[in-house]
Amino acid sequence: MNTPATSGSFRPDIEGLRALAVSGVIAFHFGMTSLPGGFVGVDIFFVISGFLITRHLQQEISKSGTVDLWRFYARRARRLLPASLFVILTTLLVGYFILAPSEQQFYSKGSLFASAYMINLWLIRWTVDYFASDASNNPFIHFWSLSVEEQFYLVWPALLLLLARLRPGKGGLFILLSMVAAISFALCWRMTAVSQPWAFYFSPLRAWEFACGGLASMVLPQRWARRFRFSPALGWLGLLLIATAYLTVTEGIPFPGSIALVPVLGTVLVLLSGAHEGSAGPKSVLALRPLQEIGKLSYSLYLWHWPVIVYAGIVQPELSLVDRLLCLAVTLLLSLFSYHFIENPIRHNAWLAAKTARSLGLAALLTGAGTTVAYGSAALAGYSFDGKQRLIQQSAERKSAAREFDSACVLEREAVRPKACAFGAAKPKKTIVLLGDSHADHWSTPLKKIAERNGWRLVTYLKSSCPAADVPTWNGVLMRNYDECDAWKRLAFGEIAALKPDMVILSQYSSNYVRNDINSISSHQMDVRDWAKGIERSVETLERAGSDVVLLRDVPVHKSYLDKCVARALWQQKSPSVCDTPRREAVEETIPAAERKIASQTHASYVDVVDLFCNRTTCPAVIDGKLTFRDRHHIATPYAESLAPSLERAIFGDRR
């Protein structure tokens, strides 16, 4: 992404590859749906970096027998740190006027880790899904790839120097680095299935991509590529693989995993093809002037494009094509400015380049300045909280009754054995079971209040992202079939049957699992007919145990994260009503119609709760001074608590 070609060995085809890589990333982030796999441009950058760095280090080792590591790090510091720090500081400054204080505080911490090139580790800590919709609010998330690169630069030169001192020979060195690549790839492949955020963000699990580039730069493959008569054809095949990845890889495919081999192998083939003597192959295309200019700006373009589109999307949630083109123009202007007035002047500064210590001192100064400003920004945001801001934050952060009792009451993704959490009377007049996912959990607060008031007992069976409907599901975080959900449901149904409750209430985030027009999440959403059959199976299973079954209609889904939207509105001195969602855009009708039909065909009751959140035209963000949802679709606990009387009438009526 940011490694320059060494002096005297500039290859225009590599500059053109950079242009293809950054163009794919920008197209993806700017919402160009015809290139759903544009994000793999980062993988192209990783391979290019591995190629150039390894080639440069091998040349230095061949000439002097060693590597001046401090000089190497000094060059990287002059090249990378000034522009990145400028972008970080500008992003923080603009964010002060756009983001709510709570966001400023959180993202300032992200900027601190970005300044130290460790934000990938911070994102793993928060198990951030790069493709999650909430990630689009994080103006620093794109620094994850720069952090991975810097961590690679820290380790790779030392590893090459160590291997060189072992004197394995050219063939032996190639084999040793191939082993490094194979081990990293195997671990990455495995972790993609087990814990995708680790596979995505953790630099050792991405090292194989850099290593593939490094292997392509070595003497043996370069000598072969120069002489192989079909090397130009391999270059065209490489471009075809890159285009295939751009056009076919989607967010719903487990990534990186084995699918990352497609853009990585494609990039390797293009790099090898470029070693062939003559002008045949894709070299002439990649050397075209427009691609050269874009490639030259690729680092600056990558740094600027993300905060530009993030802030534009916050200020204007529904960006038109014209809006996106304007964002592209702003990105280009900012990139030209930082390239010509910050990046290049400092990178080529003769005084800094004259002594390694000066460049390293600059690196320490810039890193220290970045972390200090980030820390100060977080502290300043803390002073910006007024009573209204605190109320919104507390409403969003307050746990449901089940989670407040025990966080394990809502099972995490990998857990299978059910945990029954009981509330209310020890010797109850009636026992009620609440079964479902996090959308059942947010009802635990008013149901607990109802149970305690009536001398009943409430027992919850809850699991994250696992519906009560007897259907197989796909988990977007695990990036695979959610087998743990199926196993948990079987065990939970058995325990509920043994408990013999008077009533079982089913609630679930139905529009997450079923294809619909309101909440289109992924290609793994099922047909509504399959969903209805799953509901029917669950209802029949529970009714055979002798329980009354109640189906709760799912809640509306808002267009924005209400906690952030309302907090921003208050910070900008606007009315919270700017965060309201029209009812027709928040309320899905196809799924409820299918669920009502199942209820009418069985003995289940169907309870519609939508009017607790929406009037005839609008679903407000704030009702009676209370935040309705803590995000887009999870009820804020204080508002959920206030719904106890209405919910009791709707579910129990005269059955008390």
Side-chain angles (χ1 to χ4, degrees):
M1 185 176 306
N2 42 45
T3 308
T6 56
S7 177
S9 58
F10 175 75
R11 278 180 47 177
D13 60 319
I14 294 179
E15 199 81 307
L17 263 180
R18 282 199 186 102
L20 292 182
V22 78
S23 298
V25 173
I26 292 175
F28 174 75
H29 286 153
F30 277 42
M32 188 173 172
T33 55
S34 57
L35 285 180
F39 61 88
V40 305
V42 169
D43 302 81
I44 298 172
F45 277 128
F46 286 169
V47 178
I48 293 173
S49 292
F51 180 91
L52 292 173
I53 285 295
T54 306
R55 184 178 67 170
H56 170 73
L57 292 171
Q58 282 186 298
Q59 291 171 350
E60 187 171 346
I61 291 171
S62 297
K63 289 178 182 177
S64 63
T66 188
V67 172
D68 187 339
L69 293 177
W70 293 117
R71 187 164 170 264
F72 172 83
Y73 296 140
R75 285 198 303 270
R76 300 275 63 72
R78 290 199 310 274
R79 168 75 169 93
L80 305 174
L81 289 177
S84 65
L85 179 64
F86 180 63
V87 172
I88 288 170
L89 296 181
T90 304
T91 303
L92 284 172
L93 177 63
V94 175
Y96 177 81
F97 300 99
I98 294 176
L99 301 173
S102 57
E103 293 177 291
Q104 294 173 33
Q105 199 167 50
F106 183 71
Y107 294 139
S108 292
K109 295 175 184 176
S111 72
L112 188 152
F113 284 92
S115 299
Y117 286 101
M118 293 191 296
I119 196 171
N120 60 321
L121 304 178
W122 183 72
L123 292 170
I124 292 172
R125 162 69 178 81
W126 291 100
T127 60
V128 172
D129 179 4
Y130 181 74
F131 303 111
S133 54
D134 193 28
S136 63
N137 289 318
N138 188 336
F140 299 104
I141 196 172
H142 67 312
F143 274 88
W144 77 268
S145 61
L146 303 176
S147 297
V148 168
E149 283 204 29
E150 290 311 294
Q151 290 157 23
F152 168 77
Y153 295 154
L154 190 64
V155 174
W156 194 249
L159 176 63
L160 284 178
L161 183 58
L162 174 63
L163 293 177
R165 288 180 176 174
L166 295 176
R167 301 182 184 278
K170 295 175 182 177
L173 182 60
F174 186 85
I175 292 172
L176 288 172
L177 292 182
S178 296
M179 292 173 61
V180 170
I183 292 170
S184 173
F185 173 73
L187 292 173
C188 178
W189 192 354
R190 173 59 181 160
M191 287 303 292
T192 300
V194 175
S195 181
Q196 193 260 353
W198 277 89
F200 197 94
Y201 292 119
F202 193 43
S203 49
L205 303 185
R206 288 296 194 122
W208 67 274
E209 300 184 47
F210 296 93
C212 284
L215 290 168
S217 75
M218 299 183 75
V219 173
L220 295 178
Q222 286 289 301
R223 185 182 298 161
W224 171 84
R226 278 195 297 271
R227 297 174 180 174
F228 185 51
R229 60 182 297 189
F230 295 113
S231 284
L234 289 180
W236 291 115
L237 176 60
L239 284 184
L240 178 62
L241 288 174
I242 291 171
T244 300
Y246 276 2
L247 294 170
T248 62
V249 177
T250 66
E251 302 170 37
I253 295 176
F255 195 87
S258 59
I259 197 66
L261 282 169
V262 177
V264 168
L265 179 58
T267 307
V268 167
L269 291 177
V270 175
L271 291 171
L272 288 174
S273 171
H276 189 267
E277 298 172 356
S279 59
K283 288 192 291 187
S284 58
V285 174
L286 293 172
L288 291 173
R289 181 65 179 272
L291 291 178
Q292 294 299 295
E293 293 300 317
I294 295 171
K296 183 173 63 177
L297 291 173
S298 59
Y299 179 48
S300 292
L301 286 167
Y302 184 85
L303 285 173
W304 283 113
H305 85 282
W306 184 242
V308 167
I309 197 66
V310 165
Y311 286 157
I314 290 173
V315 173
Q316 179 70 30
E318 300 293 335
L319 292 173
S320 66
L321 177 60
V322 173
D323 294 331
R324 294 175 192 276
L325 290 175
L326 285 173
C327 288
L328 186 59
V330 170
T331 299
L332 181 59
L333 290 173
L334 289 170
S335 299
L336 286 168
F337 175 84
S338 62
Y339 178 79
H340 287 291
F341 294 100
I342 297 173
E343 183 181 332
N344 259 6
I346 297 178
R347 174 185 174 189
H348 298 302
N349 184 276
W351 184 81
L352 288 172
K355 292 190 182 240
T356 298
R358 293 173 184 171
S359 295
L360 294 177
L362 174 69
L365 179 65
L366 292 178
T367 301
T371 54
T372 300
V373 172
Y375 184 84
S377 175
L380 177 63
Y383 287 114
S384 300
F385 280 93
D386 58 15
K388 291 181 179 179
Q389 291 287 343
R390 267 198 183 79
L391 181 61
I392 296 299
Q393 185 180 42
Q394 290 167 359
S395 296
E397 292 179 349
R398 183 178 160 189
K399 296 179 180 178
S400 67
R403 291 181 187 270
E404 189 174 37
F405 176 75
D406 187 341
S407 60
C409 286
V410 184
L411 264 64
E412 293 300 326
R413 287 177 290 271
E414 291 83 357
V416 169
R417 184 166 297 281
K419 180 177 177 61
C421 294
F423 309 89
K427 296 182 179 180
K429 304 172 187 176
K430 183 182 289 190
T431 297
I432 310 297
V433 165
L434 175 63
L435 173 68
D437 55 17
S438 60
H439 275 215
D441 171 49
H442 59 206
W443 291 115
S444 67
T445 301
L447 287 172
K448 173 179 178 284
K449 195 170 181 179
I450 293 168
E452 291 173 343
R453 186 164 56 222
N454 290 281
W456 300 342
R457 187 179 185 219
L458 172 68
V459 182
T460 62
Y461 285 90
L462 307 168
K463 180 171 171 61
S464 177
S465 302
C466 185
D470 186 7
V471 291
T473 56
W474 170 271
N475 189 280
V477 176
L478 299 175
M479 300 296 285
R480 59 174 170 80
N481 291 330
Y482 198 7
D483 299 327
E484 292 89 343
C485 175
D486 300 333
W488 171 80
K489 248 181 299 202
R490 286 193 296 270
L491 295 172
F493 283 146
E495 288 192 16
I496 292 169
L499 185 63
K500 298 186 183 302
D502 298 276
M503 178 183 289
V504 180
I505 299 172
L506 307 184
S507 176
Q508 52 226 323
Y509 182 18
S510 58
S511 64
N512 179 63
Y513 311 109
V514 187
R515 284 192 293 274
N516 64 93
D517 296 329
I518 295 294
N519 195 28
S520 180
I521 293 175
S522 77
S523 59
H524 296 282
Q525 289 175 300
M526 69 188 73
D527 186 83
V528 70
R529 289 170 293 185
D530 296 326
W531 176 257
K533 290 175 183 176
I535 292 284
E536 185 175 21
R537 285 191 291 270
S538 293
V539 169
E540 289 176 347
T541 298
L542 295 166
E543 285 183 340
R544 282 196 296 270
S547 301
D548 291 336
V549 178
V550 172
L551 293 173
L552 278 187
R553 179 176 178 171
D554 199 13
V555 297
V557 177
H558 281 264
K559 293 295 184 184
S560 60
Y561 287 75
L562 295 192
D563 58 329
K564 294 177 180 176
C565 184
V566 172
R568 286 177 199 147
L570 294 173
W571 176 246
Q572 297 167 16
Q573 298 184 335
K574 298 177 182 176
S575 168
S577 62
V578 300
C579 304
D580 296 351
T581 303
R583 181 168 177 143
R584 67 179 182 279
E585 297 177 16
V587 178
E588 211 284 322
E589 297 293 351
T590 306
I591 302 169
E595 293 173 344
R596 280 194 189 92
K597 185 175 180 181
I598 294 301
S600 68
Q601 292 172 352
T602 61
H603 295 97
S605 300
Y606 191 79
V607 176
D608 192 330
V609 296
V610 169
D611 287 344
L612 299 178
F613 306 94
C614 307
N615 55 42
R616 293 180 63 186
T617 61
T618 307
C619 299
V622 174
I623 296 177
D624 295 332
K626 290 184 171 63
L627 183 73
T628 52
F629 291 87
R630 60 180 170 85
D631 47 27
R632 293 177 60 221
H633 49 79
H634 290 98
I635 311 170
T637 297
Y639 186 69
E641 191 173 46
S642 73
L643 297 177
S646 300
L647 188 66
E648 184 172 0
R649 287 192 299 271
I651 294 179
F652 300 101
D654 297 327
R655 291 187 284 186
R656 286 172 288 180

